[in-house]
Amino acid sequence: MTMRPGSAALVLLGLVAGCSSAPPTRVDVIRPTPPPGPGPAPAIEGPAAANVVWALRGGLNVAALLCKDQIITAGYNRMLKVHRSLLDDVYAAEQARYRQQFGSAGIARHDVAMTRLYNGFASVPDRRRFCTAATRILDEVLAAGSADVPRMATRALTTLEPGAMRLVNSAG
């Protein structure tokens, strides 16, 4: 009788398994879920806090200065006009938050936090990616109504610079 290759190993495994005294342990197989396919990032649930919207504006301001791209500069200036009321409101909310948190030193603390944020954006490791992202984000922000900007701010900010939320959260 001729055995196929590998069948002897299966017979041996069956014999060895039959000699064990403990019943076989059940093993659950957990299959990893595949990564999501390409597509737009999901929108955030709920509006971002004023500090996130203001940080996004700051990051786009740095892009307008750093990227030396007329499209980004023109888009940033247009964003300031289109969303002026929203930006005035979030700036006022940030100033009030810092005054409440730090008293008379609040405005100076806010200035320090914004300098740290600007420096973080100015020292991004991949300037080309940063500038490309800024162009796309400005297009999205300009196409959105002011009421929608807070809902997209966190995603846009982390797209602009993945480590930006760490700076925002450490600011105060």
Side-chain angles (χ1 to χ4, degrees):
M1 166 165 134
T2 323
M3 294 183 92
R4 286 190 261 160
S7 33
L10 287 175
V11 170
L12 184 58
L13 271 173
L15 290 173
V16 170
C19 294
S20 87
S21 59
T25 305
R26 180 177 170 204
V27 177
D28 291 328
V29 177
I30 300 173
R31 290 187 165 71
T33 56
I44 351 192
E45 297 296 324
N51 64 336
V52 176
V53 175
W54 193 248
L56 175 61
R57 185 224 43 92
L60 293 171
N61 178 245
V62 171
L65 298 169
L66 186 70
C67 298
K68 310 260 190 253
D69 182 320
Q70 196 56 28
I71 293 171
I72 294 174
T73 303
Y76 176 74
N77 288 330
R78 195 164 140 239
M79 179 197 71
L80 292 178
K81 290 176 185 161
V82 169
H83 298 299
R84 180 178 181 164
S85 179
L86 168 69
L87 295 173
D88 286 348
D89 290 347
V90 297
Y91 180 73
E94 275 297 271
Q95 294 292 297
R97 182 172 72 91
Y98 271 80
R99 274 192 306 276
Q100 180 182 14
Q101 199 169 11
F102 301 108
S104 61
I107 303 306
R109 295 286 294 263
H110 184 255
D111 289 345
V112 169
M114 292 302 99
T115 299
R116 188 176 326 128
L117 182 72
Y118 274 66
N119 287 339
F121 282 121
S123 61
V124 293
D126 187 350
R127 189 176 292 184
R128 181 179 298 179
R129 189 209 58 76
F130 177 74
C131 295
T132 300
T135 302
R136 284 195 318 265
I137 291 164
L138 280 164
D139 287 345
E140 291 176 17
V141 168
L142 287 168
S146 290
D148 296 322
V149 172
R151 282 191 282 280
M152 63 195 313
T154 301
R155 180 192 52 79
L157 185 61
T158 56
T159 298
L160 185 61
E161 174 51 40
M165 287 305 296
R166 189 174 50 248
L167 288 170
V168 170
N169 293 332
S170 72

